[in-house]
Amino acid sequence: MQNKKENSAEYKCEDFYLKRSNTFSLIRYGLDQWANPDMTWNNWEKIKPFIRKTPDYIIISKEKNESYLLEAKGCKTNFMLKKEDWEQYDKWDWIDSEENNLVFFIYDFVSRNQKHVKMSKMNELVRSGKYEWEWIDEDTPRPKEVMYIPFELL
């Protein structure tokens, strides 16, 4: 059940922050249970969506009194945002009733560039009307509603 593209993005994210370890601490936070034989699709679907979409990391600034939740994602030219993910990430962004708790680290494997995108920026793009939700069939038990956003516009 492992998603190699997302794991590759996590490796890029970890490498990015390792090179900046004098400025930031990166702490693993989200569910990382894919090696567990009990983590089947059936069991995964039984976990509440908010918990399933726990961000991957906590990032702590060593220079400022700040910390953020960080979700690592990968793409190839266009970033694919799943609607159910976006809905849950928006809840994570408002933890403690304070906006901008969640930041995306997005790595484009075509351009080999990364961007940090705040959830508030992602919300602007989603709600702009420039992009539409569409249904796709993945290697999952059910179709998903997704939106494609060009990496360069993130």
Side-chain angles (χ1 to χ4, degrees):
M1 187 175 147
Q2 192 169 12
N3 185 331
K4 292 179 180 16
K5 179 172 67 171
E6 286 186 0
N7 280 342
S8 296
E10 289 176 10
Y11 299 141
K12 294 292 185 182
C13 179
E14 290 170 5
D15 185 56
F16 177 88
Y17 282 102
L18 182 63
K19 292 175 182 173
R20 291 154 182 83
S21 61
N22 59 329
T23 312
F24 297 100
S25 293
L26 186 69
I27 301 164
R28 186 80 176 144
Y29 182 66
L31 295 176
D32 195 18
Q33 298 296 321
W34 304 122
N36 184 329
D38 290 329
M39 188 52 74
T40 62
W41 276 114
N42 189 42
N43 285 343
W44 180 251
E45 291 290 321
K46 292 176 184 176
I47 300 171
K48 293 185 184 309
F50 181 71
I51 302 302
R52 281 197 315 255
K53 303 306 175 186
T54 301
D56 299 316
Y57 304 96
I58 297 173
I59 182 166
I60 300 170
S61 171
K62 294 181 179 178
E63 297 174 344
K64 302 175 186 174
N65 188 25
E66 297 177 340
S67 66
Y68 301 95
L69 297 169
L70 187 78
E71 179 66 20
K73 294 288 188 186
C75 71
K76 292 182 178 177
T77 307
N78 290 313
F79 173 66
M80 182 182 77
L81 178 64
K82 296 175 188 170
K83 189 173 188 178
E84 73 175 341
D85 291 1
W86 171 66
E87 291 167 343
Q88 300 308 317
Y89 295 147
D90 195 44
K91 294 175 187 175
W92 281 102
D93 192 45
W94 287 91
I95 296 289
D96 291 334
S97 301
E98 201 174 301
E99 187 181 23
N100 292 325
N101 283 307
L102 180 67
V103 175
F104 292 90
F105 173 93
I106 302 174
Y107 187 84
D108 180 11
F109 288 93
V110 174
S111 69
R112 297 185 178 174
N113 291 314
Q114 73 275 328
K115 290 187 178 187
H116 287 82
V117 181
K118 291 183 177 181
M119 185 65 191
S120 56
K121 170 70 174 177
M122 195 68 70
N123 283 337
E124 285 176 28
L125 291 166
V126 169
R127 294 178 178 133
S128 70
K130 294 178 184 175
Y131 313 99
E132 294 187 14
W133 295 108
E134 56 186 87
W135 288 95
I136 64 163
D137 282 321
E138 283 191 336
D139 294 332
T140 60
R142 58 186 169 81
K144 300 202 181 281
E145 209 170 353
V146 301
M147 180 179 287
Y148 294 98
I149 304 170
F151 178 76
E152 70 269 7
L153 299 180
L154 293 171

